[in-house]
Amino acid sequence: MENKLNNELILENINKKYDDESLVLKDINLKLPKSTRLSVLGPSGSGKTTLLRLIAGLENPDSGNILFDGQQMNSYPAHKRNFGMMFQEFALFPHLNVFDNIAFGLKMKGLNKDRIKFRVSEMLLMTGLDGFSQRHIDELSGGERQRVALARTLAPSPDLIMLDEPLSSLDKVLRKRLLIELTKIISKLSITTIFVTHDHEEAFATGDIVIIMKQGVIEQKGTPEQLIQTPKNQWVKDFLGV
Ligand SMILES: Nc1ncnc2c1ncn2[C@@H]1O[C@H](COP(=O)(O)OP(=O)(O)OP(=O)(O)O)[C@@H](O)[C@H]1O
Ligand SMILES: [Mg+2]
């Protein structure tokens, strides 16, 4: 049988420090088969964003390997990894309209005008933003902005997407609704998704597998059920409030 793309993400013995400070990530090992939905949960400063930035190629590990689909990624610059990242504050371009925001990554890839138009329309439909293409970013609600950010992340057909606290700037009611919408959109895709949050309800709602980070280490890894039923120690228990 043909050897198909396995799109597996492997982190091996990853260590990371900034400047001469102490280690921010300590011996991280993680294996994510294709289409895994991973939630990364942990208190502020535990290294969640750093972990994503390393996978994305925005930072380099001090030691250890990052492999994707069997390929060593360490020396690949961010734009060659074909990974999508959505940040907390969305980082949309305020001077561009919805269409141009979503088209951004496609233009960078060098797609022609017709293909860009087609793909942006697909993304607008998928995220329920049909009819919004000419709107400016400052004419959108928080929830609509979030969907534009998601559409922009998904447009270039990434092999893996990472969402860093994508809901944290929104109020509680909207958060809940958008979490449902976001999960619905993502569950239709068969790509690996890494979702960072410090809210365990969100982590459990979005992840098949959850890792709990504490001071740069993976304190526990498991399904939501495993974590709730058999928290490893008192710290995990307290953190999850179980
Ligand atoms: N660019 C940087 N330079 C120096 N130290 C940094 C830098 N970015 C993060 N750190 C430090 O690394 C540690 C981990 O930070 P990180 O942003 O990964 O945590 P986090 O889990 O994402 O936290 P939060 O939930 O607050 O977003 C923190 O102690 C932080 O102060
Ligand atoms: Mg963070």
Side-chain angles (χ1 to χ4, degrees):
M1 215 164 101
E2 278 285 293
N3 199 6
K4 284 203 180 157
L5 294 182
N6 69 39
N7 281 11
E8 184 173 53
L9 176 73
I10 299 175
L11 306 184
E12 284 175 348
N13 310 108
I14 297 288
N15 287 290
K16 171 70 183 171
K17 60 182 173 193
Y18 292 106
D19 312 318
D20 283 332
E21 307 280 312
S22 53
L23 287 169
V24 168
L25 293 176
K26 300 166 201 159
D27 198 31
I28 298 289
N29 287 284
L30 195 61
K31 201 181 223 185
L32 301 180
K34 184 184 178 178
S35 312
T36 305
R37 301 189 200 294
L38 176 78
S39 291
V40 182
L41 187 59
S44 185
S46 56
K48 305 182 298 294
T49 297
T50 304
L51 184 69
L52 291 201
R53 292 180 60 83
L54 284 171
I55 297 169
L58 301 169
E59 298 283 349
N60 290 312
D62 290 289
S63 60
N65 294 311
I66 299 173
L67 297 135
F68 187 75
D69 198 39
Q71 302 244 39
Q72 170 69 264
M73 285 283 123
N74 291 45
S75 54
Y76 273 52
H79 69 276
K80 285 201 176 159
R81 295 192 185 191
N82 203 29
F83 296 165
M85 186 146 170
M86 184 170 149
F87 298 94
Q88 193 166 337
E89 59 291 357
F90 309 151
L92 292 167
F93 304 113
H95 59 288
L96 299 180
N97 64 24
V98 169
F99 182 97
D100 289 325
N101 264 279
I102 300 173
F104 184 78
L106 303 172
K107 285 183 183 157
M108 300 291 285
K109 271 194 152 179
L111 263 64
N112 72 36
K113 273 206 163 123
D114 286 343
R115 290 197 53 199
I116 292 177
K117 234 175 149 173
F118 182 77
R119 184 65 180 158
V120 172
S121 304
E122 268 185 347
M123 290 298 105
L124 289 168
L125 270 179
M126 179 191 220
T127 52
L129 288 168
D130 207 19
F132 282 73
S133 77
Q134 297 310 307
R135 284 267 199 110
H136 271 267
I137 298 305
D138 59 9
E139 298 165 341
L140 300 175
S141 72
E144 288 158 355
R145 282 177 209 199
Q146 188 217 22
R147 280 184 275 154
V148 175
L150 183 65
R152 189 184 60 175
T153 307
L154 296 175
S157 310
D159 293 322
L160 176 151
I161 56 168
M162 293 172 268
L163 305 108
D164 193 356
E165 311 232 16
L167 305 170
S168 62
S169 61
L170 307 169
D171 69 60
K172 213 172 172 177
V173 178
L174 191 58
R175 261 174 100 117
K176 203 153 197 180
R177 207 188 76 211
L178 290 179
L179 181 66
I180 296 167
E181 283 185 16
L182 196 66
T183 316
K184 219 155 79 189
I185 294 170
I186 290 171
S187 67
K188 286 188 196 142
L189 311 165
S190 65
I191 56 175
T192 301
T193 307
I194 306 179
F195 183 92
V196 167
T197 175
H198 46 247
D199 181 317
H200 60 265
E201 278 181 37
E202 274 178 26
F204 293 160
T206 46
D208 317 319
I209 297 289
V210 179
I211 58 173
I212 301 181
M213 309 257 322
K214 179 195 177 191
Q215 296 175 352
V217 301
I218 297 176
E219 187 71 9
Q220 190 169 358
K221 175 184 171 204
T223 63
E225 295 72 30
Q226 285 167 340
L227 292 172
I228 293 166
Q229 281 159 20
T230 47
K232 180 181 153 189
N233 53 33
Q234 194 60 42
W235 186 86
V236 174
K237 252 186 215 172
D238 292 343
F239 182 70
L240 295 179
V242 293

Coordinates of all heavy atoms in Angstrom, one line a residue, residues 17-74:
K17 N 14.2 28.0 26.9 CA 14.3 29.2 27.8 C 14.5 30.5 27.0 O 14.9 30.4 25.9 CB 15.5 29.0 28.8 CG 16.8 28.9 28.2 CD 17.9 28.6 29.2 CE 19.2 28.3 28.5 NZ 20.2 27.8 29.4
Y18 N 14.0 31.5 27.6 CA 14.2 32.9 27.0 C 15.5 33.5 27.6 O 15.6 33.5 28.8 CB 13.0 33.7 27.2 CG 11.8 33.3 26.5 CD1 10.7 32.7 27.2 CD2 11.6 33.5 25.1 CE1 9.6 32.3 26.5 CE2 10.4 33.1 24.5 CZ 9.4 32.5 25.2 OH 8.3 32.1 24.6
D19 N 16.3 34.1 26.8 CA 17.5 34.7 27.4 C 18.3 33.7 28.3 O 18.4 32.6 27.9 CB 17.2 36.0 28.1 CG 16.2 36.9 27.3 OD1 16.4 37.0 26.1 OD2 15.3 37.4 27.9
D20 N 18.7 34.2 29.4 CA 19.4 33.3 30.3 C 18.6 32.9 31.5 O 19.1 32.4 32.5 CB 20.7 34.0 30.8 CG 21.8 33.9 29.7 OD1 21.7 33.0 28.9 OD2 22.7 34.8 29.6
E21 N 17.3 33.1 31.3 CA 16.4 32.7 32.4 C 16.3 31.2 32.6 O 16.9 30.4 31.8 CB 15.0 33.3 32.1 CG 15.0 34.7 31.7 CD 15.0 35.6 33.0 OE1 14.2 35.3 33.9 OE2 15.8 36.5 33.0
S22 N 15.5 30.8 33.5 CA 15.3 29.3 33.7 C 14.4 28.8 32.6 O 13.8 29.5 31.9 CB 14.6 29.1 35.1 OG 13.5 29.9 35.2
L23 N 14.3 27.5 32.6 CA 13.6 26.8 31.5 C 12.1 27.1 31.6 O 11.5 27.0 32.7 CB 13.8 25.3 31.5 CG 15.1 24.8 31.1 CD1 15.3 23.3 31.4 CD2 15.3 25.0 29.6
V24 N 11.5 27.5 30.5 CA 10.1 27.8 30.4 C 9.3 26.5 29.9 O 8.2 26.3 30.3 CB 9.9 28.9 29.4 CG1 8.4 29.1 29.0 CG2 10.4 30.2 29.9
L25 N 10.0 25.7 29.2 CA 9.5 24.4 28.8 C 10.6 23.3 29.2 O 11.7 23.5 28.8 CB 9.1 24.2 27.4 CG 7.9 25.1 26.9 CD1 7.7 25.0 25.4 CD2 6.6 24.7 27.6
K26 N 10.2 22.3 29.9 CA 11.1 21.3 30.3 C 10.8 19.9 29.8 O 9.8 19.3 30.3 CB 11.1 21.3 31.9 CG 11.5 22.6 32.5 CD 11.1 22.6 34.0 CE 11.0 24.1 34.5 NZ 10.2 24.1 35.7
D27 N 11.6 19.4 29.0 CA 11.5 18.0 28.5 C 10.1 17.7 28.1 O 9.5 16.7 28.6 CB 12.1 17.1 29.6 CG 12.4 15.7 29.0 OD1 12.8 15.7 27.8 OD2 12.3 14.7 29.7
I28 N 9.6 18.4 27.1 CA 8.2 18.1 26.6 C 8.3 17.0 25.6 O 9.0 17.1 24.6 CB 7.6 19.4 26.0 CG1 7.5 20.6 27.0 CG2 6.3 19.1 25.3 CD1 6.4 20.4 28.1
N29 N 7.4 16.0 25.8 CA 7.3 14.9 24.9 C 5.8 14.8 24.6 O 5.0 14.7 25.5 CB 7.8 13.6 25.4 CG 9.3 13.6 25.5 OD1 10.0 13.4 24.5 ND2 9.9 13.8 26.6
L30 N 5.5 14.7 23.3 CA 4.1 14.7 22.9 C 4.0 14.1 21.5 O 4.8 14.3 20.6 CB 3.5 16.1 22.9 CG 2.0 16.4 22.8 CD1 1.4 15.8 24.1 CD2 1.8 17.9 22.8
K31 N 2.9 13.2 21.3 CA 2.7 12.6 20.0 C 1.3 12.8 19.7 O 0.4 12.4 20.4 CB 3.1 11.1 20.1 CG 3.4 10.5 18.8 CD 3.6 9.0 19.0 CE 4.8 8.5 18.2 NZ 5.0 7.1 18.3
L32 N 1.0 13.5 18.6 CA -0.4 13.7 18.2 C -0.7 13.2 16.8 O -0.2 13.7 15.8 CB -0.7 15.2 18.1 CG -0.5 16.0 19.4 CD1 -0.9 17.5 19.1 CD2 -1.4 15.5 20.5
P33 N -1.4 12.0 16.7 CA -1.8 11.5 15.4 C -2.7 12.5 14.7 O -3.3 13.4 15.3 CB -2.6 10.2 15.8 CG -2.3 9.9 17.2 CD -1.9 11.2 17.8
K34 N -2.7 12.3 13.4 CA -3.5 13.2 12.5 C -5.0 13.3 13.1 O -5.5 12.4 13.6 CB -3.6 12.6 11.1 CG -4.3 13.5 10.1 CD -4.4 12.8 8.8 CE -5.2 13.7 7.9 NZ -5.3 13.2 6.5
S35 N -5.5 14.5 12.9 CA -6.9 14.9 13.3 C -7.1 14.9 14.8 O -8.3 15.0 15.3 CB -7.9 13.9 12.7 OG -7.7 13.7 11.4
T36 N -6.1 14.8 15.6 CA -6.3 14.9 17.1 C -6.7 16.3 17.4 O -6.3 17.3 16.8 CB -4.9 14.7 17.8 OG1 -4.4 13.5 17.4 CG2 -5.1 14.7 19.3
R37 N -7.6 16.4 18.4 CA -8.0 17.7 19.0 C -7.4 17.8 20.4 O -7.9 17.1 21.3 CB -9.5 17.9 19.0 CG -10.0 17.7 17.6 CD -11.5 18.1 17.4 NE -11.9 17.4 16.2 CZ -11.4 17.8 15.0 NH1 -10.5 18.7 14.8 NH2 -11.8 17.1 13.9
L38 N -6.4 18.5 20.5 CA -5.7 18.6 21.7 C -6.1 20.0 22.4 O -6.0 21.0 21.8 CB -4.2 18.6 21.5 CG -3.3 18.8 22.8 CD1 -3.3 17.5 23.6 CD2 -1.9 19.3 22.5
S39 N -6.4 19.9 23.7 CA -6.6 21.1 24.5 C -5.4 21.2 25.4 O -5.0 20.3 26.0 CB -7.8 21.1 25.3 OG -9.0 21.2 24.5
V40 N -4.8 22.4 25.5 CA -3.7 22.7 26.4 C -4.2 23.6 27.5 O -4.7 24.7 27.2 CB -2.5 23.4 25.6 CG1 -1.4 23.6 26.6 CG2 -2.1 22.6 24.4
L41 N -4.2 23.1 28.7 CA -4.8 23.8 29.8 C -3.7 24.0 30.8 O -2.7 23.2 31.0 CB -5.8 22.8 30.4 CG -6.8 23.2 31.5 CD1 -7.6 24.4 31.1 CD2 -7.7 22.0 31.9
G42 N -3.8 25.1 31.5 CA -2.7 25.4 32.5 C -2.8 26.9 33.0 O -3.3 27.7 32.2
P43 N -2.3 27.1 34.1 CA -2.3 28.5 34.7 C -1.5 29.5 33.8 O -0.6 29.0 33.0 CB -1.8 28.4 36.1 CG -1.1 27.1 36.2 CD -1.7 26.2 35.1
S44 N -1.6 30.7 34.1 CA -0.9 31.8 33.4 C 0.6 31.6 33.7 O 1.0 31.3 34.8 CB -1.3 33.1 33.9 OG -0.7 34.1 33.2
G45 N 1.4 31.7 32.6 CA 2.9 31.5 32.7 C 3.4 30.1 32.7 O 4.6 29.8 32.8
S46 N 2.5 29.1 32.5 CA 2.9 27.7 32.5 C 3.6 27.3 31.2 O 4.1 26.2 31.1 CB 1.7 26.8 32.8 OG 0.7 27.0 31.9
G47 N 3.5 28.1 30.2 CA 4.3 27.8 28.9 C 3.4 27.4 27.7 O 3.9 27.0 26.7
K48 N 2.1 27.7 27.8 CA 1.2 27.3 26.8 C 1.5 28.0 25.4 O 1.6 27.4 24.4 CB -0.3 27.6 27.2 CG -0.7 26.9 28.5 CD -2.1 27.2 28.9 CE -2.5 28.6 29.1 NZ -1.9 29.2 30.3
T49 N 1.6 29.3 25.5 CA 1.8 30.1 24.3 C 3.2 29.8 23.7 O 3.4 29.6 22.5 CB 1.7 31.6 24.6 OG1 0.3 31.9 25.0 CG2 2.0 32.4 23.4
T50 N 4.2 29.6 24.6 CA 5.5 29.3 24.2 C 5.5 27.9 23.4 O 6.1 27.8 22.3 CB 6.5 29.2 25.4 OG1 6.4 30.4 26.1 CG2 7.9 28.9 24.9
L51 N 4.8 27.0 23.9 CA 4.6 25.7 23.2 C 4.1 25.9 21.8 O 4.6 25.3 20.8 CB 3.7 24.8 24.0 CG 3.5 23.3 23.5 CD1 4.8 22.6 23.7 CD2 2.4 22.6 24.3
L52 N 3.0 26.7 21.7 CA 2.5 26.9 20.3 C 3.5 27.7 19.4 O 3.6 27.3 18.2 CB 1.2 27.8 20.4 CG 0.0 27.2 21.0 CD1 -1.3 28.0 20.6 CD2 -0.2 25.7 20.7
R53 N 4.2 28.6 20.0 CA 5.1 29.4 19.2 C 6.3 28.5 18.7 O 6.8 28.7 17.6 CB 5.7 30.6 20.0 CG 4.6 31.6 20.2 CD 5.1 32.8 21.0 NE 6.2 33.5 20.3 CZ 6.0 34.4 19.4 NH1 4.7 34.8 19.0 NH2 7.0 35.0 18.8
L54 N 6.6 27.5 19.4 CA 7.7 26.6 19.0 C 7.1 25.7 17.9 O 7.8 25.5 16.9 CB 8.1 25.7 20.2 CG 9.0 26.3 21.2 CD1 9.1 25.3 22.4 CD2 10.4 26.6 20.6
I55 N 5.9 25.2 18.0 CA 5.3 24.4 17.0 C 5.2 25.2 15.7 O 5.5 24.7 14.6 CB 4.0 23.8 17.4 CG1 4.2 22.8 18.6 CG2 3.3 23.0 16.3 CD1 2.9 22.4 19.3
A56 N 4.8 26.4 15.9 CA 4.5 27.3 14.7 C 5.8 27.7 14.0 O 5.8 28.1 12.9 CB 3.8 28.6 15.1
G57 N 6.9 27.6 14.7 CA 8.2 28.1 14.2 C 8.5 29.5 14.4 O 9.4 30.1 13.8
L58 N 7.8 30.1 15.4 CA 8.0 31.5 15.7 C 9.1 31.7 16.8 O 9.6 32.7 17.0 CB 6.7 32.2 16.2 CG 5.6 32.2 15.2 CD1 4.3 32.6 15.9 CD2 5.9 33.1 14.0
E59 N 9.4 30.5 17.4 CA 10.5 30.4 18.4 C 11.2 29.1 18.1 O 10.6 28.2 17.5 CB 10.0 30.3 19.8 CG 9.3 31.5 20.3 CD 10.1 32.7 20.7 OE1 11.4 32.5 20.8 OE2 9.6 33.8 20.9
N60 N 12.5 29.0 18.5 CA 13.2 27.8 18.3 C 13.5 27.1 19.7 O 13.7 27.8 20.6 CB 14.6 28.0 17.6 CG 14.4 28.4 16.2 OD1 13.6 27.7 15.5 ND2 15.0 29.4 15.8
P61 N 13.4 25.8 19.8 CA 13.7 25.2 21.0 C 15.2 25.2 21.3 O 16.0 25.3 20.3 CB 13.3 23.7 20.8 CG 13.3 23.5 19.3 CD 13.0 24.8 18.7
D62 N 15.6 25.2 22.5 CA 17.1 25.1 22.9 C 17.6 23.7 22.6 O 18.8 23.5 22.3 CB 17.3 25.6 24.3 CG 17.0 27.0 24.5 OD1 17.8 27.8 24.0 OD2 16.0 27.4 25.0
S63 N 16.7 22.7 22.8 CA 17.1 21.4 22.5 C 15.8 20.6 22.2 O 14.7 21.0 22.6 CB 17.9 20.7 23.5 OG 17.2 20.7 24.7
G64 N 16.0 19.5 21.6 CA 14.8 18.6 21.3 C 14.4 18.7 19.8 O 14.9 19.6 19.1
N65 N 13.5 17.9 19.4 CA 13.0 17.8 18.0 C 11.5 18.0 17.9 O 10.7 17.6 18.7 CB 13.3 16.4 17.5 CG 14.8 16.1 17.4 OD1 15.6 17.0 16.8 ND2 15.2 15.0 17.9
I66 N 11.2 18.7 16.8 CA 9.8 18.8 16.4 C 9.7 18.2 15.0 O 10.4 18.5 14.1 CB 9.4 20.3 16.3 CG1 9.6 21.0 17.6 CG2 7.9 20.4 15.8 CD1 9.4 22.5 17.6
L67 N 8.8 17.1 14.9 CA 8.6 16.4 13.7 C 7.2 16.5 13.3 O 6.3 16.5 14.1 CB 9.0 14.9 13.9 CG 10.4 14.7 14.3 CD1 10.5 13.7 15.4 CD2 11.2 14.2 13.1
F68 N 7.0 16.7 12.0 CA 5.6 16.6 11.4 C 5.6 15.8 10.2 O 6.5 16.0 9.3 CB 5.1 18.1 11.1 CG 3.6 18.1 10.8 CD1 2.7 17.9 11.7 CD2 3.3 18.2 9.4 CE1 1.3 17.9 11.4 CE2 1.9 18.2 9.1 CZ 0.9 18.0 10.1
D69 N 4.8 14.8 10.1 CA 4.7 13.9 9.0 C 6.0 13.3 8.7 O 6.4 13.2 7.5 CB 4.2 14.7 7.8 CG 3.6 13.8 6.7 OD1 3.0 12.8 7.0 OD2 3.9 14.1 5.5
G70 N 6.8 13.0 9.8 CA 8.0 12.3 9.6 C 9.2 13.3 9.3 O 10.3 12.8 9.2
Q71 N 8.9 14.6 9.1 CA 9.9 15.5 8.7 C 10.4 16.3 9.9 O 9.6 16.8 10.7 CB 9.4 16.5 7.7 CG 8.8 15.9 6.5 CD 9.7 16.4 5.3 OE1 10.9 16.5 5.3 NE2 9.0 16.6 4.2
Q72 N 11.7 16.5 10.0 CA 12.3 17.3 11.0 C 11.9 18.8 10.7 O 12.2 19.3 9.7 CB 13.8 17.1 11.0 CG 14.6 18.1 11.8 CD 14.5 17.8 13.3 OE1 13.7 18.5 13.9 NE2 15.2 16.9 13.8
M73 N 11.2 19.4 11.7 CA 10.7 20.8 11.4 C 11.6 21.9 11.9 O 11.4 23.1 11.7 CB 9.3 21.0 12.1 CG 8.2 20.3 11.4 SD 7.6 21.2 10.0 CE 7.8 20.0 8.7
N74 N 12.5 21.5 12.8 CA 13.3 22.5 13.5 C 13.9 23.6 12.6 O 13.8 24.8 13.0 CB 14.5 21.9 14.3 CG 14.0 21.0 15.4 OD1 13.1 20.3 15.3 ND2 14.6 21.2 16.6

